[in-house]
Amino acid sequence: MKKYALILLLFLSNLAFGQTKNLHLTNALVIGQMDKEEDRYALEINLTELLTDAGIKAIPSLNMMKLGSDAAILATDSIQKVVAAKGVDTYVLISIRGYDKKYRISERNDDIATALNAGNLFPLYRDEVTSVSFEFLFYRNGKFVGSDIVKCGNISNRDSVIKRFRKILVKHIVKKWK
């Protein structure tokens, strides 16, 4: 009985922690979920650039909606049809999970509309913080397909956050998302 419980536990933990191993990302609409527009656009542009460099077709959400618009409009049918017409079926939502290295991949698997309506209270950089954790949620054809978390440590200002984000994500995209 203990063996069966152990096998079941290993199988379930593999599902929870290995969600992005079989992602096979080929295209993406990158959506930043930050309150400050400059943080949102900085992360969207940098992630889009990194995905494109890795051979993944990527479009930032700022190309799909007006400046200052609520990201929740990306869940509407009309916008989803426009995005699909551009050959994109995967949405990547990026948000800041917090400023601690102890965060784990979240187990939530909301639909795309709920995830887009979720707020984010954290700015890209805060004084006296040495690490920041970014959470990525992946939705394909409106359904949740996986999540991932990237931790950037040894930061001292906003520019160092972006620099570390780019450095860590280059390897991460190739190893886990592609």
Side-chain angles (χ1 to χ4, degrees), residues 83-129:
V83 172
K86 292 187 181 245
V88 176
D89 66 352
T90 306
Y91 287 30
V92 179
L93 279 64
I94 178 173
S95 62
I96 297 171
R97 182 82 180 264
Y99 303 106
D100 192 358
K101 292 184 177 186
K102 297 177 184 175
Y103 290 105
R104 291 193 167 76
I105 296 173
S106 96
E107 295 181 14
R108 72 176 205 213
N109 53 2
D110 300 328
D111 64 342
I112 187 75
T114 305
L116 286 170
N117 283 321
N120 186 2
L121 302 173
F122 301 112
L124 188 60
Y125 176 74
R126 193 164 59 187
D127 289 336
E128 299 180 15
V129 171

Side-chain angles (χ1 to χ4, degrees), residues 38-105:
E38 62 267 11
D39 291 348
R40 176 180 167 197
Y41 298 142
L43 287 179
E44 280 188 20
I45 295 299
N46 279 291
L47 182 56
T48 300
E49 189 176 304
L50 292 172
L51 290 171
T52 303
D53 290 347
I56 298 168
K57 180 182 179 180
I59 302 170
S61 71
L62 52 109
N63 286 359
M64 303 305 300
M65 55 188 192
K66 293 180 181 178
L67 186 66
S69 296
D70 187 17
I73 67 167
L74 293 169
T76 62
D77 289 338
S78 59
I79 298 289
Q80 286 184 354
K81 287 178 184 176
V82 171
V83 172
K86 292 187 181 245
V88 176
D89 66 352
T90 306
Y91 287 30
V92 179
L93 279 64
I94 178 173
S95 62
I96 297 171
R97 182 82 180 264
Y99 303 106
D100 192 358
K101 292 184 177 186
K102 297 177 184 175
Y103 290 105
R104 291 193 167 76
I105 296 173

